[in-house]
Amino acid sequence: MNQRWRRVGLLLLGAGLGACSGSVACPDIACLSQAQWQKQVTLNDQDELIDLKVCVNDLCSTGRSNKSGCAIAGDLTVTCELPRQGLQTTAFINVNIPTSFKDGDVYTFKITRPTTGEVLAEDSQKATYSVFQPGDPKCGPACANVTLAAR
C-alpha cells in the first residue's frame, strides 16, 4: 500500500506573538505544525465504524471514524478524514506537533476494525525537526517543520 508523509505548517515555540526588540515592527505570526499520514485502507461492507489511535512517544489520542467524520480525543490534537468510495479509502490523519519535541520522536498510527480488533493499517515513523524564524530574527515566534521517515 502506498503511504507518504509530508511536512505541513509550523509550530509556535514562543509564548509572545508579535514580541519584538528594538524598533523593529513585528507582525503577529502564528505557527502551526502538523505531521500528516496518508494510507490506503480496504474496508468491507460491514465497516460502519473504524477505530483510530495516534501517538507521539507516550502521548496518545484515540477515537472513531464513521461515514460522516472522525472524533478523536486525548493528549494530542488530531484531525482525520476517511472519505469512503466503495471498499477503498485513503485515511488522512493530521497530528499537531507536541509543545515539547526533539529529533527522534516516534509517531505511530493505527487503524483497526472495532468488531474484530483486526489491524487495517499500522505505521511507526521517526521525526526530524527543523526550527526557523519566519519573520525578522529580532521578532518571535520561532517555528518548526517536521519530517517523518520510516524507522
Side-chain angles (χ1 to χ4, degrees):
M1 296 207 176
N2 185 10
Q3 66 183 6
R4 66 177 193 226
W5 287 92
R6 286 188 270 177
R7 58 184 157 170
V8 181
L10 312 165
L11 170 68
L12 174 63
L13 295 178
L17 286 177
C20 51
S21 61
S23 62
V24 175
C26 296
D28 284 338
I29 299 173
C31 298
L32 173 66
S33 186
Q34 295 181 326
Q36 183 182 64
W37 183 64
Q38 297 180 39
K39 183 79 169 177
Q40 275 198 311
V41 179
T42 301
L43 305 174
N44 65 36
D45 291 334
Q46 289 77 40
D47 286 329
E48 291 294 321
L49 301 172
I50 299 298
D51 285 343
L52 307 163
K53 182 175 183 180
V54 179
C55 298
V56 178
N57 301 324
D58 294 332
L59 300 174
C60 295
S61 290
T62 59
R64 192 162 269 182
S65 170
N66 59 31
K67 291 182 179 182
S68 63
C70 294
I72 300 177
D75 300 323
L76 302 166
T77 302
V78 178
T79 59
C80 69
E81 289 183 50
L82 280 91
R84 298 182 187 197
Q85 297 177 348
L87 299 181
Q88 290 292 321
T89 186
T90 300
F92 298 94
I93 299 177
N94 300 301
V95 56
N96 286 10
I97 293 176
T99 322
S100 175
F101 62 86
K102 65 186 177 316
D103 285 350
D105 284 344
V106 176
Y107 286 66
T108 57
F109 300 83
K110 188 173 186 179
I111 300 174
T112 57
R113 184 171 281 131
T115 54
T116 64
E118 177 186 356
V119 176
L120 301 174
E122 187 171 27
D123 200 7
S124 180
Q125 300 281 320
K126 186 174 165 182
T128 303
Y129 301 95
S130 60
V131 178
F132 65 97
Q133 192 72 35
D136 188 295
K138 296 176 184 173
C139 299
C143 302
N145 280 331
V146 59
T147 302
L148 298 170
R151 294 178 59 194

